[in-house]
Amino acid sequence: MHSTEITVDTVDRYEREHDFKASSFDLAVQMMIVACSYEPADIWLAGNDDVVRTASGLVTEGAADLAFDLLEHAIKQHRVRLNLDLITAIATQQISRLHRLHADRKEEFDLPEHGDETLSPFSSGAEIAGPLLMDDRFQDRIGEAVATEKFTGKKVIFRPMDLDLTRAYIESFHYLHTARVDDSLAFGAFADKANSPFAVVSYSPVSRTYTKNILSAAGIDHRCALELTRAWNSEAAPKNTMSMLYGYAHASIQRLADSASVEQQAIITAVNPNLGFKGSAFRAVGFGLIGEKPTAYHYLVDENGQKSYVPRRSLTDISRIPSTNARCVTAALPLLPTKELAVIMRGRRRLKPATHVIYRVSEAEYRHEALSV
C-alpha cells in the first residue's frame, strides 16, 4: 500500500508519546484489513483516470499481479497517489487500538512486550542451522525437540503449550487478536530456559461444513483431520522457525494419534493472499493447495464512522449484544480468494494432496455459515 514510511513515522511518534513498543508488522496488517473497508477510489486518488477501476476489476478476475503492475506504473507516472490523510487516520486509530489491547492483556497475563528480549531472543535474520531430528529428540509422553540457532548457539526448545497461555499469546500478538475457543492442541518454540514462547501454533477439530467438503473431495475423512487455526512468531525469530515448529507439531500429533489408536489423515489450514501471506513455511513441510474459498472482511462502524475489523466467528457473539449505534459492513475493496492448504499424513511420511483436486467453495456455500460457530 506504499504506507511503510507513514507506518514507521506514526509508530515512532506514538512510541515517544506512550512509551510502547508496537509491532510494525501487526500494525501494517491492521491497516491493510481496515483499508479494505473503503472503496478503491477512496484509497487511491486518480482524478478522472480510470486506472483504479481497471485494477479493481483485474483483482476481481483473479489477476492480482497484473493489477499491481498496472497500479505501480500509474504511480510512477504520477497518475495515481495514495490518500495519505486516510491512511494516516487508519494508522493512528489502529495504533491506539493495539496499545489498549496489549495493556488489557498484560493486566491478565504477565506477557512480554514487543522489543522484550524474552519475546524476541534472536537478532533479526537469524537462522536455525538444523536439521531437527524428531524421532530421537522426544522425551516421555509429552516429547520435546531441540535445535540450535546458527549464529548465537542458543538452544531452541519445541514443546506442547498450555491452552490458556496459548490463547493469551494469540489474543495479544496474532494479527486476528482472537483465539479459537475450540482449539485442542498447541505447541510453541522457546529459547532455552525461557518461559515465554517466541512462536506458537494451535489446532482444532474441523468444524466448518465447507472445510469438511474440501477434505471430502480429496478423499479425506474430516473426523481424521485437524485444522491448523493460528500461527504466530516474533518478528525477530529465526526465519525457518515456523516450518520447524510445524514439523515438530505434526510429528507430536501423529504420536498422540498412534498412542490413542486414532487414525490421523491430514491437517488443513488457510492462507490469505490479500495480506501478502504466501504460505512458504507450510509448503516447506508438505502442505499443498487443496481448495479455495471466498474472503470476507466484516467491520463494526461506530457513531463516529470509525471501523473496527471483526473476525467472522465473532459475529455470532456480536449478534447477541443489545443493539447500539454501531452497524456492520463488509469490505468494499475486491479481495482474492483464501487458499486452503493441506498436508496428508501417512505415519512418518508427509505428502502433498493431489494437485488436480481443488475444491472451490461457492459464495452461497460460504455465506451459509456466516453466523455459525
Side-chain angles (χ1 to χ4, degrees):
M1 288 178 55
H2 295 271
S3 58
T4 303
E5 293 181 4
I6 300 169
T7 300
V8 171
D9 290 344
T10 309
V11 169
D12 286 346
R13 183 173 64 254
Y14 196 84
E15 285 179 347
R16 289 193 300 271
E17 294 174 354
H18 298 273
D19 190 29
F20 172 68
K21 299 291 184 182
S23 163
S24 57
F25 170 79
D26 193 1
L27 174 59
V29 171
Q30 303 309 319
M31 289 172 62
M32 284 190 285
I33 292 176
V34 174
C36 290
S37 67
Y38 293 89
E39 295 289 343
D42 293 330
I43 298 293
W44 299 103
L45 305 179
N48 294 325
D49 199 314
D50 65 353
V51 64
V52 174
R53 185 173 67 246
T54 302
S56 298
L58 289 171
V59 173
T60 302
E61 295 168 7
D65 290 341
L66 185 57
F68 179 80
D69 291 341
L70 179 66
L71 203 55
E72 286 287 289
H73 183 66
I75 291 169
K76 290 178 181 177
Q77 292 183 326
H78 303 290
R79 294 160 49 203
V80 176
R81 62 183 177 86
L82 191 64
N83 185 341
L84 299 184
D85 291 339
L86 177 57
I87 295 300
T88 302
I90 293 172
T92 303
Q93 174 194 356
Q94 293 307 309
I95 287 173
S96 177
R97 170 177 164 265
L98 290 176
H99 177 71
R100 292 195 308 271
L101 185 149
H102 283 277
D104 292 343
R105 297 305 293 160
K106 194 167 179 60
E107 286 186 7
E108 185 175 353
F109 292 89
D110 185 20
L111 298 179
E113 295 180 350
H114 289 281
D116 189 318
E117 189 172 309
T118 59
L119 185 66
S120 306
F122 304 102
S123 58
S124 182
E127 181 178 6
I128 295 177
L132 183 62
L133 302 176
M134 295 292 185
D135 295 337
D136 57 11
R137 297 289 185 175
F138 282 106
Q139 303 167 1
D140 303 322
R141 290 183 60 194
I142 49 172
E144 296 181 350
V146 182
T148 302
E149 195 273 319
K150 180 177 179 180
F151 300 115
T152 65
K154 288 183 179 180
K155 295 294 184 183
V156 176
I157 313 298
F158 297 91
R159 64 173 184 254
M161 280 188 62
D162 173 79
L163 287 175
D164 286 339
L165 181 61
T166 301
R167 289 174 184 133
Y169 268 79
I170 289 170
E171 291 171 2
S172 295
F173 303 121
H174 188 277
Y175 74 92
L176 288 177
H177 295 290
T178 57
R180 285 276 293 270
V181 296
D182 57 344
D183 275 340
S184 56
L185 291 169
F187 305 88
F190 299 74
D192 195 15
K193 297 182 175 60
N195 294 320
S196 301
F198 62 89
V200 173
V201 62
S202 62
Y203 299 81
S204 76
V206 176
S207 58
R208 293 288 197 191
T209 299
Y210 60 73
T211 308
K212 297 174 184 178
N213 293 341
I214 292 172
L215 291 168
S216 178
I220 300 168
D221 186 341
H222 73 271
R223 294 167 296 185
C224 300
L226 286 174
E227 183 177 0
L228 193 163
T229 56
R230 298 288 187 268
W232 165 86
N233 65 279
S234 163
E235 292 172 47
K239 65 181 181 182
N240 60 339
T241 292
M242 295 313 293
S243 60
M244 297 194 78
L245 179 55
Y246 298 149
Y248 160 73
H250 297 173
S252 299
I253 289 169
Q254 187 72 68
R255 281 175 56 89
L256 289 170
D258 291 344
S259 65
S261 299
V262 174
E263 184 181 9
Q264 184 67 48
Q265 294 184 5
I267 293 173
I268 189 168
T269 194
V271 175
N272 185 350
N274 297 283
L275 301 177
F277 299 139
K278 301 184 183 300
S280 301
F282 295 127
R283 299 180 193 278
V285 291
F287 280 88
L289 183 65
I290 196 173
E292 291 184 345
K293 67 182 180 185
T295 303
Y297 294 161
H298 300 268
Y299 311 86
L300 280 183
V301 186
D302 64 20
E303 58 273 16
N304 298 318
Q306 289 200 334
K307 301 173 182 178
S308 301
Y309 170 71
V310 182
R312 200 159 174 254
R313 287 176 180 266
S314 299
L315 292 176
T316 304
D317 296 332
I318 292 172
S319 68
R320 299 191 183 106
I321 299 175
S323 179
T324 64
N325 291 329
R327 57 191 175 89
C328 189
V329 299
T330 57
L333 212 65
L335 299 170
L336 293 171
T338 294
K339 307 292 184 183
E340 294 284 337
L341 308 180
V343 58
I344 311 301
M345 304 176 74
R346 295 289 183 267
R348 295 181 181 179
R349 299 172 63 199
R350 303 289 177 264
L351 307 175
K352 290 187 177 181
T355 55
H356 65 279
V357 181
I358 306 299
Y359 185 97
R360 289 178 171 80
V361 178
S362 68
E363 289 283 350
E365 188 179 3
Y366 186 71
R367 286 197 304 270
H368 178 71
E369 291 187 289
L371 295 178
S372 66
V373 175

